[in-house]
PDB file of all heavy atoms in Angstrom:
ATOM      1  N   LEU A 117       6.682 -91.450  28.112  1.00 91.00           N
ATOM      2  CA  LEU A 117       5.222 -91.338  28.140  1.00 91.00           C
ATOM      3  C   LEU A 117       4.596 -91.811  26.838  1.00 91.00           C
ATOM      4  O   LEU A 117       3.390 -91.804  26.700  1.00 91.00           O
ATOM      5  CB  LEU A 117       4.805 -89.888  28.395  1.00 91.00           C
ATOM      6  CG  LEU A 117       4.983 -89.389  29.818  1.00 91.00           C
ATOM      7  CD1 LEU A 117       4.412 -87.997  29.941  1.00 91.00           C
ATOM      8  CD2 LEU A 117       4.318 -90.308  30.814  1.00 91.00           C
ATOM      9  N   ALA A 118       5.428 -92.171  25.868  1.00 91.00           N
ATOM     10  CA  ALA A 118       4.885 -92.580  24.569  1.00 91.00           C
ATOM     11  C   ALA A 118       5.550 -93.861  24.134  1.00 91.00           C
ATOM     12  O   ALA A 118       6.061 -93.957  23.033  1.00 91.00           O
ATOM     13  CB  ALA A 118       5.090 -91.470  23.541  1.00 91.00           C
ATOM     14  N   TYR A 119       5.537 -94.871  25.002  1.00 92.00           N
ATOM     15  CA  TYR A 119       6.314 -96.068  24.706  1.00 92.00           C
ATOM     16  C   TYR A 119       5.747 -96.858  23.540  1.00 92.00           C
ATOM     17  O   TYR A 119       6.504 -97.434  22.764  1.00 92.00           O
ATOM     18  CB  TYR A 119       6.467 -96.962  25.931  1.00 92.00           C
ATOM     19  CG  TYR A 119       5.361 -96.888  26.957  1.00 92.00           C
ATOM     20  CD1 TYR A 119       4.321 -97.779  26.944  1.00 92.00           C
ATOM     21  CD2 TYR A 119       5.401 -95.918  27.950  1.00 92.00           C
ATOM     22  CE1 TYR A 119       3.324 -97.717  27.901  1.00 92.00           C
ATOM     23  CE2 TYR A 119       4.410 -95.853  28.904  1.00 92.00           C
ATOM     24  CZ  TYR A 119       3.374 -96.752  28.871  1.00 92.00           C
ATOM     25  OH  TYR A 119       2.399 -96.686  29.802  1.00 92.00           O
ATOM     26  N   TYR A 120       4.438 -96.859  23.387  1.00 93.00           N
ATOM     27  CA  TYR A 120       3.879 -97.577  22.244  1.00 93.00           C
ATOM     28  C   TYR A 120       4.308 -96.934  20.933  1.00 93.00           C
ATOM     29  O   TYR A 120       4.507 -97.607  19.930  1.00 93.00           O
ATOM     30  CB  TYR A 120       2.353 -97.600  22.323  1.00 93.00           C
ATOM     31  CG  TYR A 120       1.829 -98.648  23.279  1.00 93.00           C
ATOM     32  CD1 TYR A 120       1.362 -98.317  24.533  1.00 93.00           C
ATOM     33  CD2 TYR A 120       1.809 -99.983  22.909  1.00 93.00           C
ATOM     34  CE1 TYR A 120       0.895 -99.280  25.403  1.00 93.00           C
ATOM     35  CE2 TYR A 120       1.347-100.947  23.766  1.00 93.00           C
ATOM     36  CZ  TYR A 120       0.887-100.593  25.012  1.00 93.00           C
ATOM     37  OH  TYR A 120       0.431-101.554  25.865  1.00 93.00           O
ATOM     38  N   PHE A 121       4.462 -95.612  20.957  1.00 94.00           N
ATOM     39  CA  PHE A 121       4.841 -94.912  19.731  1.00 94.00           C
ATOM     40  C   PHE A 121       6.299 -95.201  19.382  1.00 94.00           C
ATOM     41  O   PHE A 121       6.635 -95.405  18.220  1.00 94.00           O
ATOM     42  CB  PHE A 121       4.620 -93.413  19.895  1.00 94.00           C
ATOM     43  CG  PHE A 121       3.174 -93.063  20.021  1.00 94.00           C
ATOM     44  CD1 PHE A 121       2.574 -92.991  21.264  1.00 94.00           C
ATOM     45  CD2 PHE A 121       2.403 -92.837  18.895  1.00 94.00           C
ATOM     46  CE1 PHE A 121       1.231 -92.695  21.382  1.00 94.00           C
ATOM     47  CE2 PHE A 121       1.064 -92.545  19.013  1.00 94.00           C
ATOM     48  CZ  PHE A 121       0.474 -92.474  20.259  1.00 94.00           C
ATOM     49  N   ASN A 122       7.176 -95.206  20.385  1.00 93.00           N
ATOM     50  CA  ASN A 122       8.567 -95.520  20.120  1.00 93.00           C
ATOM     51  C   ASN A 122       8.671 -96.904  19.496  1.00 93.00           C
ATOM     52  O   ASN A 122       9.390 -97.109  18.511  1.00 93.00           O
ATOM     53  CB  ASN A 122       9.379 -95.503  21.417  1.00 93.00           C
ATOM     54  CG  ASN A 122       9.425 -94.134  22.048  1.00 93.00           C
ATOM     55  OD1 ASN A 122       9.217 -93.143  21.370  1.00 93.00           O
ATOM     56  ND2 ASN A 122       9.679 -94.083  23.330  1.00 93.00           N
ATOM     57  N   ALA A 123       7.941 -97.867  20.093  1.00 93.00           N
ATOM     58  CA  ALA A 123       7.986 -99.231  19.574  1.00 93.00           C
ATOM     59  C   ALA A 123       7.430 -99.268  18.162  1.00 93.00           C
ATOM     60  O   ALA A 123       7.967 -99.936  17.280  1.00 93.00           O
ATOM     61  CB  ALA A 123       7.198-100.160  20.488  1.00 93.00           C
ATOM     62  N   MET A 124       6.341 -98.505  17.936  1.00 93.00           N
ATOM     63  CA  MET A 124       5.715 -98.495  16.604  1.00 93.00           C
ATOM     64  C   MET A 124       6.670 -97.934  15.562  1.00 93.00           C
ATOM     65  O   MET A 124       6.789 -98.488  14.456  1.00 93.00           O
ATOM     66  CB  MET A 124       4.434 -97.650  16.664  1.00 93.00           C
ATOM     67  CG  MET A 124       3.705 -97.527  15.349  1.00 93.00           C
ATOM     68  SD  MET A 124       3.021 -99.083  14.804  1.00 93.00           S
ATOM     69  CE  MET A 124       3.297 -98.959  13.042  1.00 93.00           C
ATOM     70  N   ALA A 125       7.359 -96.840  15.883  1.00 93.00           N
ATOM     71  CA  ALA A 125       8.271 -96.227  14.908  1.00 93.00           C
ATOM     72  C   ALA A 125       9.380 -97.210  14.557  1.00 93.00           C
ATOM     73  O   ALA A 125       9.716 -97.396  13.380  1.00 93.00           O
ATOM     74  CB  ALA A 125       8.855 -94.937  15.469  1.00 93.00           C
ATOM     75  N   PHE A 126       9.910 -97.866  15.566  1.00 94.00           N
ATOM     76  CA  PHE A 126      11.000 -98.804  15.301  1.00 94.00           C
ATOM     77  C   PHE A 126      10.499-100.027  14.531  1.00 94.00           C
ATOM     78  O   PHE A 126      11.079-100.407  13.513  1.00 94.00           O
ATOM     79  CB  PHE A 126      11.651 -99.233  16.618  1.00 94.00           C
ATOM     80  CG  PHE A 126      12.703-100.284  16.439  1.00 94.00           C
ATOM     81  CD1 PHE A 126      13.936 -99.960  15.909  1.00 94.00           C
ATOM     82  CD2 PHE A 126      12.453-101.613  16.768  1.00 94.00           C
ATOM     83  CE1 PHE A 126      14.898-100.930  15.713  1.00 94.00           C
ATOM     84  CE2 PHE A 126      13.409-102.587  16.577  1.00 94.00           C
ATOM     85  CZ  PHE A 126      14.634-102.242  16.043  1.00 94.00           C
ATOM     86  N   CYS A 127       9.411-100.617  15.004  1.00 93.00           N
ATOM     87  CA  CYS A 127       8.879-101.806  14.322  1.00 93.00           C
ATOM     88  C   CYS A 127       8.490-101.467  12.896  1.00 93.00           C
ATOM     89  O   CYS A 127       8.736-102.251  11.971  1.00 93.00           O
ATOM     90  CB  CYS A 127       7.653-102.347  15.063  1.00 93.00           C
ATOM     91  SG  CYS A 127       8.051-103.095  16.630  1.00 93.00           S
ATOM     92  N   GLY A 128       7.896-100.285  12.695  1.00 93.00           N
ATOM     93  CA  GLY A 128       7.505 -99.881  11.350  1.00 93.00           C
ATOM     94  C   GLY A 128       8.701 -99.816  10.421  1.00 93.00           C
ATOM     95  O   GLY A 128       8.644-100.276   9.277  1.00 93.00           O
TER      96      GLY A 128
END
Side-chain angles (χ1 to χ4, degrees):
Chain A
L117 285 185
Y119 28 95
Y120 280 103
F121 293 91
N122 296 338
M124 179 67 218
F126 175 74
C127 290

